[in-house]
Amino acid sequence: MSENKIKGVSGCFVICDIQKEYSEHLFQILSEQFESEYQFHLFHDPQKMKDFLEKGSAEILVIGEECGNEAAGTYCAGKKFILTGIPGEKDGPEGIYLFRYQSAEGMIKMIRKYADSGNGRGRNTRKERTGMTHEPSAAQRRQEGYVREKRGEVRIRDEPLVRGMIGIYSPVHRIGKTKFALRLGQKMARQIPVLYLNLEGYSGVGHYFQDGADKDLGDLLYFLKQERDDWGLKLASMAVRQNGMDYIFPMKNEQDLRSVRAEEWIRLLDMIREKCLYEVIILDLGDAVCGLYDILRKCDRIYTLYICEGAAEAKMEQYEENLRAAGYADILAKTVKKRVGKGNRSPGRSEEKDDKNRTAV
């Protein structure tokens, strides 16, 4: 049995399913979404669940139909959901049938819909449930590991909250692009769910990201090819939380990243937007990714970092000219240029204007 106990929370949420990998993914997702409302218990053996429930009751019971008679509604529970492989919503005397291969978002909405109708739990938003009804204090930010802005690094505290897909790219290298992307995502994650994806050939594994992950972005792409209905659950189970923001471990091998076709990246991003709960997707993009311009075109906003130095400015001009020549001038209309560091300003150039205005097409 797996448990997730939270101090001061008495409600009991029980999950029982013989499909071990699936149920563990589901347990991880639901225990996070309802973390301040229930104590979670996971069983793979129906008999052990029976023994547990004989000692008390569950406010919510989610049980696989393969568990046999145990799924017939014989146990004391406020709301009973039966995991089934048949699509559709059905509310019967034995419980509410829950299609196990729907998106994580759809499953959470259905559970909350029926749970709320019975006991009034869960009416608050996720922000209210976790107590984040206002910006965290300086002490909270230090405690939670939020990255401070240092002298010489680009400022992010005045950046607006933009929902959708945000691309971070620059033809100029080694100017703090990944630091900016991470800080921007962490700032937004204080208010809404954010997913960070690093699509660079050399992402800095072991420096920016916790090492030792079993699965990475390449595994997620492979899983997508399997045409599984529970793809959203798979992504959620792979996501790692860091400073309030989720990320998928980057691909370690540059050649593997280069071998991913543009249409595969586009499909992955479309699936994340369709199937997952994230309101913002941060894309940290490098030159090794195939279909760079097509990915940038799908972004709702793009941040392009630069420094005021001769070679860097020449690269920026060449990049913008290439976009126009290739028919991607619309990317420039969504681009916000951010000046980095203490480099000399170009004659007649206003730093404030470059930081706040989009690039002219």
Side-chain angles (χ1 to χ4, degrees), residues 277-292:
L277 295 168
Y278 299 106
E279 295 186 40
V280 174
I281 305 169
I282 302 285
L283 300 179
D284 191 351
L285 299 163
D287 294 323
V289 63
C290 182
L292 172 64

Side-chain angles (χ1 to χ4, degrees), residues 35-261:
E35 61 185 351
S36 64
E37 301 172 55
Y38 301 99
Q39 303 285 2
F40 276 79
H41 305 269
L42 171 65
F43 298 88
H44 302 304
D45 185 342
Q47 182 59 46
K48 291 183 179 180
M49 178 202 68
K50 178 180 177 181
D51 295 340
F52 176 81
L53 290 180
E54 284 178 349
K55 302 175 183 177
S57 63
E59 291 194 31
I60 296 182
L61 171 62
V62 177
I63 185 169
E65 61 181 352
E66 298 89 346
C67 294
N69 293 333
E70 281 74 18
T74 58
Y75 299 112
C76 183
K79 290 295 179 181
K80 304 167 189 175
F81 298 88
I82 301 173
L83 295 169
T84 177
I86 301 174
E89 180 178 337
K90 177 185 175 183
D91 186 359
E94 67 277 10
I96 301 132
Y97 281 86
L98 196 64
F99 179 47
R100 68 164 67 241
Y101 298 122
Q102 65 180 296
S103 68
E105 180 179 8
M107 187 172 291
I108 291 166
K109 284 183 178 179
M110 186 177 294
I111 291 174
R112 193 170 288 286
K113 168 187 171 183
Y114 285 97
D116 290 356
S117 65
N119 56 25
R121 281 183 177 273
R123 286 193 297 263
N124 295 334
T125 65
R126 176 177 173 82
K127 183 187 296 183
E128 292 168 335
R129 294 199 310 273
T130 56
M132 294 292 290
T133 55
H134 53 78
E135 285 291 302
S137 66
Q140 287 174 318
R141 287 196 296 270
R142 288 194 296 270
Q143 181 178 0
E144 296 175 9
Y146 289 108
V147 181
R148 289 183 176 182
E149 296 170 15
K150 299 178 181 179
R151 183 175 298 177
E153 293 181 349
V154 65
R155 296 171 58 183
I156 64 165
R157 60 175 173 264
D158 297 326
E159 289 303 317
L161 181 63
V162 178
R163 287 172 169 81
M165 199 149 61
I166 299 176
I168 316 292
Y169 173 76
S170 176
V172 184
H173 299 163
R174 298 185 60 82
I175 58 173
K177 178 174 65 67
T178 293
K179 287 183 180 179
F180 171 78
L182 290 171
R183 292 205 312 277
L184 180 65
Q186 290 163 13
K187 176 199 172 189
M188 292 182 170
R190 301 174 199 169
Q191 303 178 58
I192 56 178
V194 175
L195 176 68
Y196 168 91
L197 298 178
N198 188 292
L199 275 63
E200 294 183 300
Y202 299 98
S203 59
V205 171
H207 179 72
Y208 293 114
F209 312 100
Q210 301 173 14
D211 207 351
D214 295 331
K215 305 291 183 181
D216 62 20
L217 192 54
D219 295 294
L220 185 62
L221 286 163
Y222 175 79
F223 193 79
L224 182 60
K225 295 178 183 178
Q226 307 308 305
E227 303 291 344
R228 291 277 296 273
D229 292 327
D230 58 344
W231 182 85
L233 290 174
K234 182 66 175 179
L235 184 148
S237 71
M238 293 175 59
V240 179
R241 177 65 57 87
Q242 180 172 303
N243 297 336
M245 177 182 70
D246 286 357
Y247 72 88
I248 303 298
F249 203 75
M251 297 173 69
K252 294 182 179 180
N253 190 295
E254 187 203 24
Q255 291 302 313
D256 290 343
L257 183 126
R258 288 184 180 274
S259 67
V260 179
R261 302 189 306 273

